[in-house]
Amino acid sequence: MTNPTLIVEVLSRSTEEYDRGDKFEHYRSLASLRQYVLMSHRERSVEVWTRDVDGDFTSAIARDGDVAHLASIGARLDVRELYEAAAEPGA
């Protein structure tokens, strides 16, 4: 994909450090990127990194019962609904 405005990563034990580190550093260099979203594998939480007008990224964490705001695409994510939809059947 070229010129993404939003990238979403589902973290895992084996990739979390890379996703938060080197991979995010690479994504920061994409001028089009407005938000980088990390979905936790340990708890029901979504971390949203948003680029401000100066080009700096700030983070906000939405937990179970919260709503994550994805302004880059004009969407909202209900964290509880997201994790319930992603749960294995019968879990």
Side-chain angles (χ1 to χ4, degrees):
M1 178 184 288
T2 58
N3 303 319
T5 57
L6 171 71
I7 297 174
V8 178
E9 295 282 355
V10 178
L11 300 174
S12 70
R13 285 180 187 91
S14 63
T15 66
E16 182 171 4
E17 185 176 327
Y18 175 66
D19 292 339
R20 290 181 177 282
D22 291 342
K23 189 185 276 188
F24 189 23
E25 283 304 313
H26 167 70
Y27 289 158
R28 287 176 193 253
S29 71
L30 302 173
S32 64
L33 186 66
R34 297 291 167 247
Q35 289 186 298
Y36 182 50
V37 177
L38 301 169
M39 295 180 56
S40 177
H41 62 90
R42 288 177 274 136
E43 62 180 341
R44 289 182 173 197
S45 69
V46 175
E47 185 174 357
V48 180
W49 287 87
T50 302
R51 185 181 302 226
D52 65 23
V53 294
D54 295 323
D56 298 321
F57 279 87
T58 57
S59 70
I61 298 176
R63 292 188 167 74
D64 195 17
D66 295 336
V67 173
H69 298 277
L70 305 181
S72 61
I73 60 169
R76 298 164 27 107
L77 287 176
D78 181 299
V79 175
R80 180 173 294 137
E81 288 180 11
L82 179 67
Y83 277 86
E84 287 175 358
E88 294 181 32

